[in-house]
Amino acid sequence: MLSAVDLAAIWLTFKLASLTTATLMVVGTPIAWWLARTRSRIKALVGAVVALPLVLPPTVLGFYLLITLGPHGPVGHLTQSLGLGVLPFTFAGLVVASVFYSLPFVVQPLQQAFEAIGPRPLEVAATLRASPWDSFFTVIVPLAKPGFITAAILGFAHTVGEFGVVLMIGGNIPEKTRVVSVQIYDHVEAMEYAEAHVLAGGMLLFSFLVLLTLYSRKGTSVWK
Amino acid sequence: MKIQGSYLLAGLMFAASGGSVQAAEVQVAVAANFTAPMQKIAAEFEKDTGHKALLAFGATGKFYAQIKNGAPFQVFLAADDQTPAKLETEGDTVPGSRFTYAIGTLVLWSAKPGYVDEQGAVLKKGQFKHLAIANPKTATYGTAAVAVLTKLGLLETIQPKLVTGENISQTYQFIMTGNAELGFVALSQVMLDDKLTGGSAWIVPTHLHEPIRQDAVILVKGKDQPAAKALIDYLKGKKATTIIQSYGYALP
C-alpha cells in the first residue's frame, strides 16, 4: 500500500520531529524558565519574538531562512567559514528551520507550567541548602512534568505538520528533505489521488490521536 | 455591499450610456514561466479593451487538478500542450479554442556571471553542489530538464545534486538566492527586452528535448464570456506576440 518513497518520507518526518523536539526541549526550557521568572523590561520583547511563528505565514519564515541561511546571508557566511556548507536543501537545515517554527509550541506550555509552580517551592528548597541546579532538577522538573509532556507532544506534532517552510528551503530531495506533507502535496499535484489518500488519511489519524491523548490527560491545562 | 452596489450602478450607467463594450473581468490561470510577459500583456489588454484579466500563477499540473475540481478559471495558459488537450477531450474546454500561444525555451542559468559557459560544459564538470530543476512530475520545464540530462547521459551522476522546485518560479528562487549554483529555468524568467537580466546562461539546444509548446484554451466557465474570447484574440495580436517574443519565446 505504501511505496518505498512514501515510507522514506514517513521515516524522515519521524526523524525530523524527534530531533527537533529534543533540540527544543534543551533550547526552550531555559527560555521558558527565564520568561516565567524574569521582571526584566525586555520580557515582553522576548515573549513576542518567541510567539512570532504562531502568527507569521510559513512563507515569511521560509523566505527569510532561505536568504539568511543561503550562501550570501549572514548565517550562510558563518556556516561556510566553519566548513559546514550552507543549510538549505539539507536535513540539518530543516531541523534549524523547524526549531524556529515550533519554538512557541514548546516554550509557551513550559512557561505556563513554571509560572503555575510559583517561587515558593524553590525558596523552600533553598532553605534546605539545595543548589539552584539541584533544586531545578529535583523540585521544578517533577512539578512541571505535565508541562514538559505537553510541550514535547505539541512540538513533535507541530513539526510533523510543517509544510510551507520545508517546501521553501527543502528542495524536495528524497530521504533528505522530502517529508510526508511535501510528499502528499506532490501526490496531489501529480493527480495520484490514491497514494495521496493513504498518506493524508494517516496524517489525519495521527494528528487526531495526538490531540486526543493530549486533551484526555486529566488535570492539565493544555493550551491557552 | 455598498461599494459593490455603487460599482453595479456605475456599470449599469456605463451600459446605458451606450458604451460599445461592457467592461468585464476574466479569471486566468497562467503557467508560472509566463508570469512576467502575461503581466505586461494583461496591462495592455486592459488599456486596449477595458476588460480586466485576473491572473493566477502556478504549476500546470496543479491548475489541472483545480480546474477538474471546479476552480473558477475561464482561460488557461498552460506550460505544455498535453494538459489543455487532456482537458479538451474531457469536455472541460470550449471546443476549437485551443491554440499554441508560445514555444518555450529552456535555459541553464546561474546567478553568477561567468559560471555557466555557452556550451553548457559546466554540467559535465559537475563542480557544483546543487542543480535546481522544476518538479518533473508536474512542471513541463522540469520534464524538459530531465530529458536534457538524460540525453547528455548525466542524469545518474547529477541525480544526487538535484533540488526540485514546486514550480519554475521556485526553481528560479533557489538559483537567484545562490542556494543552488545553477539550474534549468525558462528563458523568459531571465530575459527582458532580448537581453539576459543577469548571471550567466546556456540556452539549451532544442534537439535535446521535446519542444515546449505552450497551449492556451478557453475553459467551460469562460463559455460565452466576451472577456475570455477577447483575451484569447488579444494573445494572437501583434502587441501580445511582440511582448511574448521579447521574453525569448518562439511563436508557432
Side-chain angles (χ1 to χ4, degrees):
Chain A
M1 196 159 74
L2 284 169
S3 68
V5 219
D6 287 344
L7 285 172
I10 292 174
W11 172 236
L12 183 75
T13 308
F14 179 78
K15 263 200 321 194
L16 176 67
S18 308
L19 215 67
T20 302
T21 309
T23 312
L24 275 172
M25 296 314 274
V26 176
V27 176
T29 304
I31 299 177
W33 180 253
W34 184 83
L35 282 171
R37 285 285 173 274
T38 186
R39 289 203 192 93
S40 165
R41 262 189 290 171
I42 60 163
K43 176 181 171 171
L45 187 86
V46 175
V49 171
V50 168
L52 269 179
L54 288 176
V55 293
L56 277 183
T59 40
V60 173
L61 206 54
F63 177 58
Y64 283 134
L65 283 172
L66 192 66
I67 289 174
T68 49
L69 303 182
H72 310 306
V75 180
H77 279 299
L78 183 74
T79 51
Q80 279 173 309
S81 65
L82 295 172
L84 299 170
V86 287
L87 286 169
F89 314 137
T90 64
F91 180 70
L94 288 200
V95 175
V96 171
S98 306
V99 164
F100 280 110
Y101 186 59
S102 296
L103 190 64
F105 290 83
V106 168
V107 169
Q108 294 193 350
L110 284 178
Q111 186 187 343
Q112 280 164 22
F114 294 151
E115 279 168 352
I117 294 167
R120 185 83 183 125
L122 269 191
E123 286 165 11
V124 173
T127 60
L128 297 170
R129 302 192 173 189
S131 74
W133 282 107
D134 190 16
S135 48
F136 181 81
F137 284 106
T138 53
V139 179
I140 300 299
V141 170
L143 282 175
K145 196 175 138 202
F148 277 103
I149 295 174
T150 303
I153 293 177
L154 281 175
F156 188 92
H158 191 245
T159 307
V160 169
E162 186 176 343
F163 170 67
V165 177
V166 176
L167 189 76
M168 286 189 75
I169 71 157
N172 204 345
I173 306 168
E175 294 174 32
K176 268 202 242 161
T177 61
R178 189 185 289 161
V179 297
V180 173
S181 57
V182 174
Q183 179 75 355
I184 293 173
Y185 186 73
D186 267 11
H187 280 320
V188 174
E189 282 222 321
M191 291 164 269
E192 299 160 350
Y193 290 169
E195 289 88 340
H197 269 308
V198 175
L199 279 183
M203 195 74 130
L204 182 67
L205 192 69
F206 166 80
S207 307
F208 173 71
L209 289 178
V210 165
L211 291 179
L212 189 67
T213 317
L214 207 56
Y215 288 119
S216 309
R217 288 169 56 239
K218 277 180 197 148
T220 50
S221 77
V222 172
W223 193 252
K224 278 182 193 169
Chain B
M1 285 316 279
K2 208 170 179 183
I3 295 168
Q4 276 185 358
S6 66
Y7 269 121
L8 189 66
L9 196 63
L12 286 171
M13 282 164 72
F14 178 73
S17 71
S20 55
V21 228
Q22 175 91 44
E25 286 184 346
V26 51
Q27 299 219 41
V28 195
V30 184
N33 75 80
F34 202 62
T35 301
M38 194 55 200
Q39 279 168 337
K40 252 192 195 171
I41 292 169
E44 293 296 321
F45 174 66
E46 192 176 346
K47 249 190 276 167
D48 289 349
T49 66
H51 297 311
K52 197 170 166 53
L54 304 173
L55 310 177
F57 304 101
T60 294
K62 177 165 63 193
F63 280 135
Y64 173 84
Q66 291 178 343
I67 290 162
K68 292 305 280 184
N69 287 290
F73 300 120
Q74 295 163 334
V75 171
F76 182 25
L77 272 64
D80 62 3
D81 52 358
Q82 290 150 16
T83 312
K86 193 160 181 228
L87 286 166
E88 193 175 79
T89 53
E90 289 165 349
D92 297 304
T93 70
V94 172
S97 64
R98 183 160 65 89
F99 80 105
T100 305
Y101 66 92
I103 297 170
T105 305
L106 186 70
V107 64
L108 180 70
W109 181 69
S110 170
K112 276 188 255 176
Y115 190 85
V116 176
D117 55 289
E118 274 170 28
Q119 277 75 45
V122 63
L123 276 180
K124 285 181 189 132
K125 284 192 210 126
Q127 286 163 334
F128 46 84
K129 281 183 85 171
H130 298 294
L131 180 113
I133 61 169
N135 189 340
K137 266 160 95 180
T138 52
T140 324
Y141 284 82
T143 318
V146 169
V148 171
L149 291 175
T150 313
K151 199 129 188 185
L152 295 174
L154 294 170
L155 186 61
E156 224 161 285
T157 43
I158 290 183
Q159 187 91 52
K161 297 175 175 179
L162 286 186
V163 289
T164 314
E166 187 253 316
N167 58 43
I168 202 73
S169 298
Q170 208 200 358
T171 312
Y172 172 82
Q173 185 187 104
F174 285 160
I175 310 165
M176 186 65 206
T177 55
N179 284 298
E181 293 96 323
L182 73 176
F184 287 100
V185 293
L187 182 58
S188 55
Q189 293 174 294
V190 295
M191 191 170 186
L192 186 63
D193 299 330
D194 305 311
K195 276 201 302 274
L196 211 58
T197 49
S200 50
W202 169 51
I203 294 174
V204 181
T206 45
H207 66 265
L208 290 176
H209 60 83
E210 295 285 309
I212 305 170
R213 296 181 75 88
Q214 304 194 185
D215 279 9
V217 76
I218 299 180
L219 299 163
V220 168
K221 291 230 158 87
K223 198 178 168 220
D224 303 328
Q225 300 286 327
K229 175 84 172 60
L231 181 65
I232 288 289
D233 291 341
Y234 197 82
L235 278 168
K236 295 173 183 167
K238 184 86 192 95
K239 236 181 194 171
T241 50
T242 309
I243 294 174
I244 292 171
Q245 283 173 306
S246 76
Y247 282 91
Y249 292 98
L251 292 172

